[in-house]
Amino acid sequence: MKSAKTPEEVHATLANAFNTGDVNTVLSMYDVTGIIVPEPGKPVSGKENFEEAIKGILSIKGKMDIKTVYCIQTGDMALGRSEWSITDNGEVKISAKGIEVMKQQADGSWKVLFDHAFGAETNLVA
């Protein structure tokens, strides 16, 4: 299982993990004490809720691609902005613009602490 060695590697490593279809591999990319927003307006936290959210995303058949728009770092924290999609045979199943906060772990690897998969969408209403 590959881990991200820099915050800039997180998006590509996460997409590769999703594309394995392995819940445990994907979960290993997250700090489950944080928050994931798998659908607009529905933040979740905690290992069981993360697992349920990840299984929901993995149920969308296709290949995930994540483009890093930017990644800025200070110390052991980083802020990323992404554009991601899941496509199947050229058909876009879902796409969005996300915002992620990443935290460096004691072993030097990076995990996602906050993942707002739709956080940079212009049409979201709070």
Side-chain angles (χ1 to χ4, degrees):
M1 177 172 17
K2 184 178 186 285
S3 61
K5 301 298 182 200
T6 67
E8 292 82 8
E9 289 181 6
V10 168
H11 291 139
T13 304
L14 187 58
N16 287 336
F18 267 102
N19 290 330
T20 68
D22 181 343
V23 171
N24 292 326
T25 300
V26 177
L27 277 173
S28 75
M29 289 296 305
Y30 286 93
D31 178 335
V32 296
T33 65
I35 295 173
I36 186 172
V37 184
E39 333 177 20
K42 297 189 178 179
V44 299
S45 186
K47 187 177 186 314
E48 286 139 15
N49 293 328
F50 263 76
E51 189 168 335
E52 184 179 323
I54 298 301
K55 284 179 180 177
I57 295 167
L58 286 172
S59 72
I60 303 168
K61 299 300 179 209
K63 180 179 183 270
M64 176 177 270
D65 289 301
I66 306 175
K67 173 188 165 200
T68 300
V69 176
Y70 64 76
C71 186
I72 54 176
Q73 176 186 347
T74 182
D76 66 349
M77 300 293 289
L79 175 67
R81 170 62 180 87
S82 63
E83 293 180 357
W84 62 274
S85 64
I86 299 175
T87 58
D88 188 24
N89 292 321
E91 179 186 346
V92 176
K93 298 290 187 175
I94 187 170
S95 68
K97 298 172 181 163
I99 299 172
E100 304 81 25
V101 174
M102 297 155 276
K103 183 166 178 35
Q104 190 173 32
Q105 306 301 295
D107 67 359
S109 67
W110 288 80
K111 290 189 177 193
V112 179
L113 181 61
F114 297 100
D115 184 353
H116 194 323
F118 304 88
E121 292 291 336
T122 57
N123 59 351
L124 287 181
V125 177

